[in-house]
Structures are given as structure tokens and as C-alpha cells.
Amino acid sequence: MVDVIQVTNPATGERVAEVNIQSDEEIKEAINRGHHAFQTWSKIDAHERSRLIRAWSAKVQEHKEELAKLMTLENGKPLNEARGEIDYSTDYLDWYAEEAKRIYGRTIPANTGTKRIIVTKEPIGLVAAITPWNFPTAMMARKAAPALAAGCTFIVKPASETPLSGMKFIDYAHEVGIPKDVIQYVMGQGKAVGEIFTESEFVRKITFTGSTAVGKQLIKNSSDKIQHVTMELGGHAPLIVAEDADVEMAAQQTIATKFRNAGQTCVCANRILVHENVLEEFTEKFVAEVKKLEVGNGLEEGVDIGPIINEKGYNKIVSQIEDAISKGAEVLVGSQFQSDMEKGYFFVYPTVLKNVTTEMMIMHEETFGPVAPIISFKTIEEAVELANGTPYGLAAYFFTNDYRVGHYLHEHLKFGIIGWNDGGPSAAHAPFGGMKASGLGREGGIEGIEPYLETKYLSIGGL
Ligand code: NAP
């Protein structure tokens, strides 16, 4: 009997599809094929690889609506956000289709006239990726696009909750002529597939987006075969509203960064730090905006906040809210839930908490839900200390119109991505990634292709 993964609609609990789990042998076979395909794909010239990746992007755009609906069905995010994710995904394809043609080496002046020094870049080999459910195609795109552009072959295991849109996304690559063994997906439980990837002598790189706990395990396991790693892990983003901020803009942008994907993104603002002199004004404006957000099935028009992906995620959010309330937090809006354990759907209404303190769980753990805890500060130094007081270092946001405060914050915040008066800094043309427990390496921008390349140094003597 073949094992299957049941894919359900998190908004209704209804079954969407069944996906076969591959056996260990089948996954190893796919790795073998990817390894062999590398011998030919890496020799295809960069302009042809670029053309194929651009064609893939165009094909995905042709099917944007269908792909977006599929994504909403399995992930729950509002349809407009799913459409946005398809655009974001093809941005990566477009960007790296161009970067394929810009993989430059260099020459270095030698310290003797009889030598010449040349540095070249070459693709690393077969890349194995593991992706999460919160951005089913975008997290694939930003790994697959630079890998293929560099001349690597690629194999990915999508998250068990949301394999369908990612699989379809890769089918489109095949439809435009990218060979089947150059980009493949395999299905299985994360731990089992992860171990096959890290035990394989053919896999030269592991690229992962997901939780810090799993990332750590993959780093450990990859040490056996000395595989390269890129790790995009958890976050706990602070959002600072300084005394001189444009409060209206800060409130609007906080809505955007806090509630996207029902708060289930690694760069969602998780701790809202507001200067005491603008606390009341900010809170009032922010709460007024939160009250406008519609909760429901992402396929329905006008819905802003979809369901929570599963019971585990829901329980974590509820326990953080309960913990905060038990320690003195005041609920300004939300703290309402709609769930059906039997049917398997879970909604959390957007929640704003006031009088939050550092004793509360929500100030230390990633929430991954639509909850905004507000804490006040007196000085910008205090805000920095609060903001940096976490093992994570992915994204941070601040709102100020004073360039001195802005520069101070930019220089002192220990985060890989910083939004200054900007709640949406992610872009295919910029480096995305975290410091500390948030990961290793960057995806996007000119930095995002380097991890798929080896550097080879040639010294020619006797001239
Ligand atoms: P997760 O449990 O780490 O799962 C992510 C992926 O890893 C899934 O494909 C999962 O497969 C697989 N997996 C699970 N256990 C594994 C193991 N032992 N070895 C190898 N693979 C394993 O993360 P999640 O809870 O679904 O996703 C949310 C987390 O991702 C959050 O912490 C969030 O911050 C982080 N995230 C980070 C970024 C970023 O760019 N930094 C972006 C998005 C999300 P199964 O589905 O089969 O279990």
C-alpha cells in the first residue's frame, strides 16, 4: 500500500487532495537522476539557461489565477495574497534569469611577472531544498531560480500541508523545456527526506526554510558529508515607533507587516515597541484599522485574514494570548477564536494586546499568528535593547522621520533585514536572510546566487 499525505483546506477542514509519499528508494533514485542531469545542465550555456527560466516565469504567469486558487485552497491565505505570492515568485525567476548571465570571475595581479592568476566560478552540483507551508511557491522560487541559473540541478521537498501549488509550479518548468531531472520534487515526511538528503554523497548543498529547530538539525546532519547550507529560519521581529514618527503611516504599515498571511510569516512584526509619548495616538489608530480586517475563507472576496494552518499553530497562538492575559495584558480587540477540532479548521481574530511586559511568552517566542502585543519605551536606547533581546535576527522595522534616530537604529539593530518607514521590504532584487538563530546566508539580490557557486582559483606559472 502506498502511503499518502492528505492535503486539506485549512478554512473548512475539507480534503483537497491526496499526494503519494515516495519510498526511500524512489527518493534516492531521484537524487541519482539529479546528479546525472547535473553533468549536462551545468554545461548548457548561461544564455540558454536564462531563456528557459524566463519561459518558466511566463508560463507561471499564464496560469497565475489557477495557481493562486490552488494555493489558497491548501494554505488558506486570501486570494489576493496568493496572487501576490505568484508575482513575488516570478520576480525571483526573472531576476535570476538575468543573473545567470552575470556570473563573473576575475583576474588578480600576480606578485611575479611569470605568473597569472584567474578566478572562475562553477556550479556547486545537485542542490536539495526543503520548504515550508507559509509561502509554498515563493520559498521554492528563491532557491530554485538561483540554483538553476548557476547551473546546478535541484530537488525539493515541499511542506506536507501545502505540496500542491509547489508541485504545479515545478510542472510548469518542465512544460517549457527544463528537463525533468534538472528540477524535481519528492514527497515524504520532513525528517525522513531530510536524512536521505544529508546522507547522500551526491547532494552538495542543503537549502532550507523553516523552523530554527529543524534548521539546527539539518546543519548538524549536513556536517557528515560537508554539504553547503543556506538556512532561512525563524524570526521575532521588533517594530519600533519613535517619538517623531508619522504615526498614521506607522499604523498602516504595521497592519501590512503584522497581518499578512494571518501573521504566519517569518518577518511579521512580533513585538510592537512604541514611544510612550505617541503610545495613545498610535494604539488608537492601529486598533481602528485592525477592526476593519475581515476574517474568513481566503477564497471569498474581501477577506483579509484566513485560517491558521493547523491545530499546533492555533494552540501556540492561543496559549501566548492566554499567558499574556494571565500576566496582566489588556485585550483592546480580538482574542476571539473560531475553531472546529473535529472538522479541522482554526481561526484567530486579529488581536491587539496592551500593557505587555517582557515576562510574557509572546515577547520571547515567535507567534506565527495575528496577534500584536504593544509595549512602550522611554528612550531609543531602551528600544534597541528590547529589540535585540532575542536569539533571533531576521527582520526589524522602525518608524522615524529623524535621520539621526534612523541611523542610530540602523547601526544598532542586529537584524538582517530592516524596514525604515517600510513594512514590506522583501524583494527579489535584495538580500533576504537573518543573523543569529534566524539563519545562515542570504536569498535574493546579487548575494542569492553566490551560495550555488564554487570558487576555483587558477595560478599559471612559468610564463
Ligand atoms: P518546519 O516544521 O521546520 O517545516 C518546514 C519544512 O521542514 C517542511 O517541509 C517540513 O516537512 C520539513 N521538516 C520538518 N521536520 C524536519 C526534519 N526533522 N528534517 C528535515 N525537514 C523537516 O517549519 P514550519 O513550522 O512548517 O514553518 C514555520 C517556520 O518557518 C517558522 O519558524 C518561520 O519563521 C520559518 N520561516 C522562515 C522563513 C525565512 O525566510 N527565514 C520563511 C518562512 C518561514 P513536513 O511538512 O513534511 O513536516
Side-chain angles (χ1 to χ4, degrees):
M1 203 183 76
V2 183
D3 279 339
V4 292
I5 287 172
Q6 302 283 350
V7 183
T8 57
N9 178 346
T12 59
E14 282 158 11
R15 194 167 67 92
V16 177
E18 266 184 6
V19 179
N20 287 348
I21 288 185
Q22 279 143 299
S23 68
D24 291 4
E25 287 320 306
E26 286 170 317
I27 295 170
K28 287 178 190 164
E29 255 312 295
I31 290 176
N32 266 330
R33 290 197 302 273
H35 170 67
H36 287 294
F38 176 70
Q39 317 311 326
T40 44
W41 179 251
S42 57
K43 301 288 182 297
I44 290 176
D45 77 78
H47 290 258
E48 176 60 6
R49 291 201 303 269
S50 171
R51 189 193 65 74
L52 284 166
I53 298 169
R54 262 182 297 147
W56 178 16
S57 169
K59 180 60 82 181
V60 170
Q61 280 295 332
E62 238 176 73
H63 293 273
K64 176 170 163 179
E65 202 53 28
E66 168 191 345
L67 202 50
K69 280 196 181 127
L70 187 59
M71 189 185 292
T72 295
L73 263 182
E74 62 179 351
N75 167 285
K77 65 177 65 184
L79 196 49
N80 254 339
E81 285 192 28
R83 292 183 184 114
E85 181 173 341
I86 304 302
D87 290 342
Y88 185 49
S89 307
T90 56
D91 280 354
Y92 282 98
L93 300 186
D94 296 342
W95 174 264
Y96 286 109
E98 293 307 312
E99 288 300 284
K101 296 179 278 184
R102 300 192 186 105
I103 299 169
Y104 303 129
R106 72 191 205 277
T107 59
I108 299 173
N111 56 358
T112 150
T114 61
K115 282 195 175 191
R116 298 291 180 272
I117 296 175
I118 296 169
V119 179
T120 54
K121 300 277 181 178
E122 53 186 59
I124 231 169
L126 172 63
V127 172
I130 300 178
T131 53
W133 49 264
N134 62 345
F135 289 94
T137 64
M139 297 302 105
M140 244 179 224
R142 67 187 191 188
K143 300 176 188 317
L148 264 53
C152 297
T153 47
F154 186 84
I155 184 164
V156 58
K157 188 212 94 67
S160 297
E161 278 95 347
T162 59
L164 305 175
S165 46
M167 286 158 60
K168 197 97 197 113
F169 185 68
I170 289 179
D171 290 342
Y172 294 134
H174 299 150
E175 279 184 31
V176 299
I178 300 179
K180 285 215 153 99
D181 295 344
V182 165
I183 178 163
Q184 307 176 72
Y185 48 77
V186 290
M187 276 314 301
Q189 294 301 338
K191 185 168 183 298
V193 181
E195 282 169 7
I196 296 174
F197 283 170
T198 50
E199 281 164 14
S200 168
E201 59 183 311
F202 295 140
V203 171
R204 293 307 315 132
K205 181 181 175 71
I206 303 285
T207 173
F208 172 71
T209 297
S211 61
T212 296
V214 171
K216 281 185 187 171
Q217 193 57 52
L218 285 168
I219 294 171
K220 271 190 202 146
N221 294 353
S222 66
S223 70
D224 198 39
K225 296 281 185 298
I226 320 280
Q227 290 158 324
H228 294 249
V229 292
T230 293
M231 295 283 146
E232 296 285 359
L233 309 176
H236 192 33
L239 183 150
I240 299 170
V241 183
E243 190 176 8
D244 69 287
D246 175 338
V247 173
E248 179 70 45
M249 178 212 241
Q252 293 287 351
Q253 293 286 305
T254 306
I255 294 284
T257 168
K258 175 66 254 183
F259 296 109
R260 184 175 301 125
N261 206 3
Q264 303 170 106
T265 92
C266 51
V267 292
C268 273
N270 220 58
R271 299 168 288 154
I272 320 288
L273 283 50
V274 186
H275 192 278
E276 59 181 5
N277 291 348
V278 288
L279 181 64
E280 209 178 306
E281 186 191 352
F282 172 84
T283 307
E284 201 175 288
K285 287 190 157 74
F286 181 57
V287 168
E289 290 302 317
V290 171
K291 284 183 176 160
K292 294 180 194 161
L293 297 172
E294 286 291 328
V295 178
N297 185 332
L299 285 174
E300 284 163 19
E301 203 54 44
V303 165
D304 304 294
I305 310 267
I308 301 306
I309 191 73
N310 56 29
E311 188 176 354
K312 187 171 154 224
Y314 173 81
N315 287 340
K316 184 177 183 196
I317 301 163
V318 174
S319 70
Q320 284 193 6
I321 296 176
E322 286 175 354
D323 171 77
I325 294 172
S326 75
K327 291 174 181 157
E330 185 187 332
V331 178
L332 297 179
V333 56
S335 188
Q336 291 161 300
F337 314 97
Q338 191 198 332
S339 63
D340 189 322
M341 304 284 170
E342 289 279 288
K343 289 192 175 139
Y345 62 78
F346 310 91
F347 290 89
V348 175
Y349 283 69
T351 300
V352 181
L353 302 173
K354 191 178 134 183
N355 299 338
V356 169
T357 67
T358 53
E359 277 69 55
M360 298 171 187
M361 236 155 68
I362 200 158
M363 288 298 285
H364 301 283
E365 287 178 8
E366 189 178 33
T367 305
F368 246 55
V371 188
I374 300 179
I375 185 163
S376 73
F377 66 86
K378 287 184 199 307
T379 66
I380 210 69
E381 291 78 12
E382 186 195 342
V384 167
E385 202 180 319
L386 273 172
N388 286 341
T390 167
Y392 296 104
L394 188 58
Y397 307 87
F398 58 79
F399 292 86
T400 177
N401 285 332
D402 182 331
Y403 74 93
R404 287 160 304 191
V405 174
H407 279 287
Y408 180 84
L409 289 171
H410 175 231
E411 283 171 13
H412 287 83
L413 289 172
K414 297 285 173 229
F415 294 83
I417 305 160
I418 297 197
W420 177 351
N421 291 343
D422 183 5
S426 306
H429 43 275
F432 185 107
M435 299 180 182
K436 305 192 305 190
S438 291
L440 294 171
R442 296 293 180 270
E443 293 183 328
I446 54 172
E447 288 84 353
I449 198 162
E450 272 299 319
Y452 298 93
L453 297 166
E454 287 281 16
T455 297
K456 193 181 263 179
Y457 153 49
L458 172 69
S459 178
I460 310 170
L463 295 171

